[in-house]
Amino acid sequence: MNADAQREAVYGAPPEMLEVRDDLTPMLSQYADLCEEHDDAVVLFQVGDFYEAFCGAAEAVARTCEVTLTQREDSTGTWPMAGIPIDNAAGYLERLLDAGYRVALAEQVEDAEEASGLVDRAVTQLITPGTVVDEELLDAGRATYLGAVARGGGNAETRDGDADADTYGLAVVDVSTGECLVTGADRALALEELERLAPAELVVGPDCDLPDLSFDPMETPFEPGAFDVDAARETLSAYAPRPDAVVESNAELRAVGAALAYAEYAQGDSKLEYVTRVTRFDPREFLQLDATAIRSLELFESRSARAGSTLFSVLDETACALGRRRLEAWLRRPLVDRDEIEARLDAVDALCDDALARTDLREHLSSVYDLERLVARVSRERADARDLRSLKTTLDRVPEVREALAGTDSDLLADLRDSLDELEDVRDLVGDAVVSDPPQEITEGGVIADGFDAELDDIRGTAEAGREWVSNLEAREQERTGIDSLEVGYNQVHGYYIEVTNPNLDRVPDDYRRRQTLKNSERFYTPELKEREDEILRASDRADALEYDLFCEVRADVATESARIQAVADALADLDVLRTLADVAVANDYARPEFRAGGVGDGGIHIDAGRHPVVERAQDEFVPNPADLPRGSVALVTGPNMSGKSTYMRQVALVCVLAQVGSFVPAESARLPVLDRVFTRIGASDDIAGGQSTFMREMSELTEILHNATGDSLVLLDEVGRGTSTADGLAIARAATEFLHDEVGATTLFATHYHDLTDAADDREGVFNLHFTAARRDGEVTFLHSVADGPSSSSYGVEVAQLAGVPASVVERARDLVDETETDAESTAVDGVAAANGESEAAAEDGTLAAYVDGLENGHRETENPNRATATTATAEPTPELEAVAEALREADLADTTPLAALNLLSDLKGKLE
């Protein structure tokens, strides 16, 4: 039985209980009923201070949570039982979720002291990966999405031949914050967006055939009727009075309707009042980054074990959870609207120039609580008094944030400042109603501030007067009885009492009534004390009940302002990200990028001294490199492994992504187009279980690129064609290069070890060569990590193997084989040149050494690039190139040149000589 089947087997009512259903005790019968009603989850059943499970579910809970498996015995049998403490449930619930279980919490919904017979219980919350709301189970800085996918059509069973029958709808809801997004597209684009949003849980509609996904959501079955168009419209109507104004197809309607219906089901079948905005978006309104690109560029997850080795970690200087989630959203969906990009850049620029504003914003935002999740708890009636005080603390920062922005020069910052509603009415309500340091419990009093409610003040006054009477009673009774050791006290069991030690019992007045006998004393009460006690307790109980009612009223009043509070949360999140981008830009010497006028795709990519934002943080010395890529050009990048080809390609893409997020970029300057997509085919991977070898996976990714790239896209290709024979691989690489250049027109960086591929630069004007330089001395190779024009002369594979620690005998044998191969190639080249000139080897032996050397040199040139014309004579006159090299050497200040700079200079001059 696989893991999914094992989990399903513990859902529903235990079969052994059903066999004796009529004989079960009332409590176990109630448990079986709830298990039947919620047969898609493990039911945790409140019994006192524990959540209990029975039978197979108990065994699963004990195994997963590592708690003791016990048993409960009654007349019907012995039932395995396992429980987790309610006060410390979060950690155990997290284990169950991680193990793939859905959990239904069945809680007591009436006071056990007031219940006549069995305490009523009901499932109050379904806990799944996509519907968790408990702060202890959530990542404060990341959205947790529940997703729903639906195909176009009329109802859950058929598609009724609708025009949008082949469209797919995708909706996601963050139940913890109320964010709800919906989109629609063809199958390929919808799946790409699904990969980008990566919901933790997925509800899939009828007729949807989803492939294996790059992430691993919990796929949850849900009633097909929720996807019916009419049912979906009714569900959405509760959140948007005009559903057809929110969605543009039946596919979108079915997806968002089902997502909201499932979210309601998980939260107890009630409307999510805090979902105040259902937002539709078009994926093409953002820079499209598919799952492969997000993974290859290491935006959020690193392929290495180094901490802080993702773009997100480099940028994450956010001060609050609101900003951290917004930063992630901006990185997942960079902009394509140039005006919006420039507005963000203007804001970052203004903050870069105003260090005081940045400092003040960080200070104020660092004391901001998570407004989105706070208001969601308020709306779900799960917020306690401390949550309301946290809400007020956050709103108290709003005027200070507005003040910090007063002098900044940016239209976007001005708009955000104007949108910061100070919510004085909400702040005053909470400030007047709730004490500054409230207790955790809201049912035991001490929550509502004095002066908020006259009736409560009167009741409290009565109780306080009674307590004051009692506090003076001891002195009065000591004086009346003459018993100096007499004491007045109180305990939870017996209430107020007058305690008299045994030697003084003969002096006890006649109106004392015995309450409790102790070893050395007796406790009494008087009718007047009992009357006062009843008065105090009645007043305290009334006060506690009234406080709870008043708190619930205040909480409900705050909930009516959810939309206003969420608007403030939006503005604070944006401000935190903009401030963060400015802090990162100043700290890391980033430059503001310039965008080509005229919209998407105008011009090429031109970066001066660009750097990789992640790698430069991990290295003591990073070599900046330029990128000059005309629009639609293909740059063939050659050079040794470890020389920096992949880093270079990624840094070009990351500069473009950062710029379209609205961030400054790691470069001296950057002049960029607005891209529509970034594609990557980098690194080796396979999917053996899915029937794909490394090469097949590579070809699948290449197919996706060739079909979907446009003239406004950036394409990164690394070693395409290396998974098959050299002839086949080179042919595929050459054909792909020509297709991207001739048919697609996408700006492309193509790293390759196929040196024969570099000849494509001779055939097409838009194809050119770049290489990464290296210096060899005394058998040692130094990688200079510097890009230069032209193709590389060697891949230095044996040297890289030596650096990796390959045994010396293997390295030496590899060198011998390379030397033999090169010798054979040189002999072939000499024979070819001699034959072409009508000469023979005998001529060389007869002393025409110069002709032999000329032929050998020409043969090398022919071997390196057979499509280029070969030089057949050597001139004794200095050429302009030689003069340029000589001039560069004369001007070099060798006394003030670092070793790395000297190696770069020598490599550059060597390239010119070659």
Side-chain angles (χ1 to χ4, degrees):
M1 185 182 293
N2 62 31
D4 290 339
Q6 288 177 342
R7 286 190 288 268
E8 295 292 336
V10 303
Y11 295 163
E16 52 267 55
M17 281 191 179
L18 295 180
E19 290 177 2
V20 292
R21 180 65 172 271
D22 294 339
D23 299 323
L24 289 174
T25 63
M27 190 186 78
L28 289 182
S29 181
Q30 189 182 57
Y31 173 75
D33 289 344
L34 291 172
C35 287
E36 284 188 312
E37 292 172 14
H38 296 272
D39 59 359
D40 57 350
V42 171
V43 173
L44 293 182
F45 188 78
Q46 183 180 358
V47 180
D49 294 331
F50 281 79
Y51 288 127
E52 302 284 359
F54 298 90
C55 301
E59 294 172 2
V61 169
R63 181 174 57 254
T64 304
C65 298
E66 297 180 356
V67 296
T68 302
L69 182 67
T70 61
Q71 60 187 29
R72 180 185 184 92
E73 295 184 13
D74 60 31
S75 60
T76 59
T78 300
W79 310 104
M81 182 174 73
I84 60 176
I86 292 175
D87 289 342
N88 191 30
Y92 298 107
L93 293 174
E94 186 173 16
R95 291 190 186 187
L96 289 168
L97 291 177
D98 289 344
Y101 290 102
R102 294 183 289 276
V103 178
L105 292 184
E107 299 181 298
Q108 295 175 353
V109 292
E110 67 174 330
D111 192 329
E113 294 180 0
E114 298 177 0
S116 56
L118 182 65
V119 178
D120 192 20
R121 295 176 177 85
V123 170
T124 58
Q125 187 181 352
L126 180 66
I127 301 176
T128 66
T131 63
V132 290
V133 293
D134 191 322
E135 287 295 301
E136 295 181 68
L137 300 177
L138 291 165
D139 183 338
R142 301 198 69 173
T144 300
Y145 287 130
L146 161 71
V149 179
R151 195 172 179 180
N155 57 51
E157 284 75 35
T158 67
R159 295 195 298 277
D160 292 350
D162 274 18
D164 67 335
D166 290 327
T167 40
Y168 278 68
L170 168 64
V172 293
V173 180
D174 187 337
V175 180
S176 71
T177 66
E179 180 186 17
C180 182
L181 304 173
V182 60
T183 189
D186 60 45
R187 183 176 184 275
L189 188 53
L191 290 176
E192 185 176 302
E193 197 61 28
L194 176 62
E195 298 263 12
R196 175 155 43 176
L197 291 168
E201 184 176 5
L202 195 58
V203 180
V204 181
D207 300 330
C208 286
D209 53 328
L210 297 185
D212 290 337
L213 301 170
S214 64
F215 64 106
D216 188 24
M218 173 184 281
E219 289 198 26
T220 298
F222 193 49
E223 54 187 70
F227 290 90
D228 184 270
V229 166
D230 293 334
R233 182 176 284 106
E234 182 178 353
T235 302
L236 182 56
S237 295
Y239 301 89
R242 297 174 54 230
D244 292 335
V246 176
V247 296
E248 294 189 357
S249 70
N250 278 352
E252 294 175 14
L253 177 60
R254 297 174 74 191
V256 71
L260 290 169
Y262 181 76
E264 291 177 350
Y265 164 69
Q267 295 302 308
D269 288 319
S270 59
K271 179 189 173 186
L272 308 180
E273 298 289 349
Y274 54 98
V275 178
T276 58
R277 287 171 297 178
V278 178
T279 305
R280 184 190 183 278
F281 71 96
D282 186 333
R284 289 160 295 199
E285 293 172 352
F286 301 96
L287 174 64
Q288 294 176 58
L289 298 165
D290 61 18
T292 300
I294 289 174
R295 185 171 56 251
S296 297
L297 297 177
E298 298 180 299
L299 299 187
F300 304 103
E301 296 181 4
S302 173
R303 296 194 286 186
S304 73
R306 295 191 309 272
S309 53
T310 67
L311 181 62
F312 181 81
S313 62
V314 167
L315 297 180
D316 185 20
E317 298 294 336
T318 52
C320 61
L322 293 170
R324 193 166 192 266
R325 288 199 300 273
R326 187 58 48 87
L327 175 62
E328 180 185 2
W330 283 15
L331 269 180
R332 288 192 184 278
R333 294 191 292 277
L335 302 171
V336 294
D337 185 291
R338 184 172 180 267
D339 291 339
E340 292 181 18
I341 297 171
E342 293 290 359
R344 286 185 185 175
L345 290 172
D346 287 343
V348 173
D349 209 347
L351 291 172
C352 284
D353 292 339
D354 195 336
L356 181 59
R358 291 201 318 275
T359 301
D360 287 347
L361 282 174
R362 182 173 187 85
E363 179 182 349
H364 300 323
L365 291 170
S366 64
S367 59
V368 163
Y369 289 89
D370 194 337
L371 270 187
E372 288 181 320
R373 288 179 176 166
L374 276 175
V375 75
R377 289 203 296 278
V378 168
S379 295
R380 293 196 308 272
E381 300 181 352
R382 291 180 176 271
D384 57 29
R386 294 181 181 181
D387 287 331
L388 290 191
R389 289 301 305 191
S390 297
L391 175 66
K392 182 183 183 300
T393 297
T394 299
L395 296 180
D396 286 343
R397 300 282 83 78
V398 171
E400 298 170 350
V401 172
R402 286 174 56 87
E403 180 63 27
L405 293 171
T408 53
D409 183 18
S410 156
D411 290 342
L412 178 55
L413 292 178
D415 290 343
L416 290 171
R417 183 178 185 276
D418 292 342
S419 68
L420 285 172
D421 184 346
E422 295 187 11
L423 288 159
E424 292 184 19
D425 51 342
V426 176
R427 291 160 53 200
D428 290 345
L429 173 62
V430 175
D432 293 342
V434 182
V435 297
S436 59
D437 186 19
Q440 184 74 49
E441 295 296 328
I442 60 176
T443 58
E444 298 177 3
V447 171
I448 300 298
D450 290 336
F452 179 72
D453 183 81
E455 181 183 359
L456 177 62
D457 289 344
D458 287 343
I459 296 171
R460 283 175 169 172
T462 299
E464 185 58 34
R467 293 189 189 95
E468 186 175 352
W469 183 91
V470 171
S471 68
N472 295 325
L473 178 64
E474 184 174 297
R476 291 198 305 270
E477 290 302 303
Q478 286 176 350
E479 182 178 354
R480 180 163 81 98
T481 63
I483 304 172
D484 293 338
S485 60
L486 179 149
E487 294 180 350
V488 175
Y490 176 83
N491 66 35
Q492 292 282 352
V493 176
H494 297 287
Y496 288 104
Y497 57 83
I498 300 169
E499 184 170 324
V500 178
T501 58
N502 290 340
N504 295 301
L505 291 178
D506 59 340
R507 302 163 68 183
V508 169
D510 293 340
D511 60 341
Y512 276 27
R513 305 286 186 268
R514 183 172 279 102
R515 170 159 275 178
Q516 185 182 11
T517 299
L518 303 180
K519 180 179 180 181
N520 298 314
S521 63
E522 293 280 348
R523 289 178 176 176
F524 303 89
Y525 69 93
T526 67
E528 189 177 12
L529 177 59
K530 183 71 171 78
E531 182 180 343
R532 289 287 187 172
E533 177 184 327
D534 292 343
E535 185 179 274
I536 292 169
L537 293 177
R538 283 195 303 268
S540 296
D541 289 343
R542 287 175 59 204
D544 290 350
L546 182 55
E547 278 200 66
Y548 178 75
D549 291 342
L550 289 170
F551 175 79
C552 290
E553 289 177 12
V554 170
R555 185 171 62 186
D557 288 343
V558 172
T560 62
E561 304 299 337
S562 293
R564 292 172 63 199
I565 298 171
Q566 286 172 331
V568 171
D570 274 343
L572 292 176
D574 285 354
L575 285 170
D576 195 18
V577 178
L578 293 169
R579 178 210 56 78
T580 290
L581 296 179
D583 275 348
V584 171
V586 171
N588 297 293
D589 195 24
Y590 286 7
R592 176 171 180 163
E594 299 175 25
F595 282 92
R596 305 290 184 179
V600 174
D602 186 42
I605 297 172
H606 304 283
I607 302 169
D608 298 324
R611 313 186 307 274
H612 192 295
V614 180
V615 176
E616 73 167 344
R617 294 269 291 262
Q619 295 184 351
D620 295 333
E621 187 174 357
F622 184 88
V623 180
N625 277 300
D628 191 359
L629 308 173
R631 184 174 189 266
S633 63
V634 178
L636 301 171
V637 187
T638 52
N641 288 311
M642 296 177 59
S643 64
K645 299 191 301 297
S646 293
T647 297
Y648 175 70
M649 293 198 303
R650 286 187 176 99
Q651 84 183 32
V652 170
L654 290 175
V655 164
C656 294
V657 169
L658 279 173
Q660 289 185 222
V661 165
S663 169
F664 284 21
V665 299
E668 287 186 5
S669 65
R671 297 171 301 285
L672 306 170
V674 178
L675 302 172
D676 65 350
R677 299 190 64 152
V678 174
F679 292 95
T680 63
R681 200 345 287 163
I682 298 175
S685 62
D686 58 29
D687 179 16
I688 300 302
Q692 288 192 326
S693 66
T694 299
F695 181 66
M696 176 60 80
R697 188 70 173 264
E698 176 185 317
M699 290 299 100
S700 296
E701 292 177 2
L702 178 63
T703 299
E704 186 75 15
I705 293 170
L706 298 181
H707 278 297
N708 295 301
T710 73
D712 299 320
S713 302
L714 173 64
V715 175
L716 309 184
L717 299 176
D718 190 3
E719 302 302 337
V720 168
R722 299 293 288 186
T724 185
S725 69
T726 301
D728 287 353
L730 177 58
I732 292 170
R734 180 65 176 253
T737 300
E738 293 173 355
F739 185 84
L740 285 167
H741 179 271
D742 300 347
E743 305 294 333
V744 178
T747 305
T748 303
L749 284 163
F750 190 160
T752 182
H753 283 292
Y754 286 134
H755 290 274
D756 289 346
L757 186 60
T758 61
D759 298 338
D762 297 328
D763 298 336
R764 284 164 172 77
E765 184 178 353
V767 179
F768 62 97
N769 287 300
L770 298 173
H771 73 280
F772 273 79
T773 55
R776 191 202 303 264
R777 182 175 182 181
D778 297 331
E780 297 292 329
V781 173
T782 301
F783 301 121
L784 305 180
H785 305 294
S786 180
V787 71
D789 292 333
S792 174
S793 60
S794 174
S795 290
Y796 298 97
V798 176
E799 287 76 7
V800 171
Q802 183 178 22
L803 289 173
V806 171
S809 60
V810 175
V811 171
E812 290 305 316
R813 175 58 178 155
R815 277 209 181 95
D816 292 343
L817 293 171
V818 170
D819 290 342
E820 290 175 12
T821 302
E822 290 179 348
T823 300
D824 292 343
E826 289 174 2
S827 299
T828 302
V830 170
D831 291 343
V833 171
N837 292 333
E839 299 173 351
S840 65
E841 289 184 26
E845 293 172 359
D846 286 341
T848 54
L849 180 60
Y852 179 84
V853 172
D854 283 345
L856 183 59
E857 289 179 350
N858 290 335
H860 270 305
R861 294 190 184 102
E862 286 184 339
T863 302
E864 290 176 2
N865 191 345
N867 291 327
R868 295 178 183 168
T870 55
T872 56
T873 59
T875 175
E877 296 296 326
T879 65
E881 290 79 10
L882 288 174
E883 288 290 352
V885 170
E887 183 63 24
L889 285 171
R890 283 193 292 270
E891 293 180 355
D893 185 1
L894 299 181
D896 192 30
T897 301
T898 65
L900 181 60
L903 288 172
N904 279 321
L905 174 63
L906 287 173
S907 175
D908 184 53
L909 297 178
K910 181 174 179 290
K912 290 180 179 179
L913 287 173
E914 289 177 344

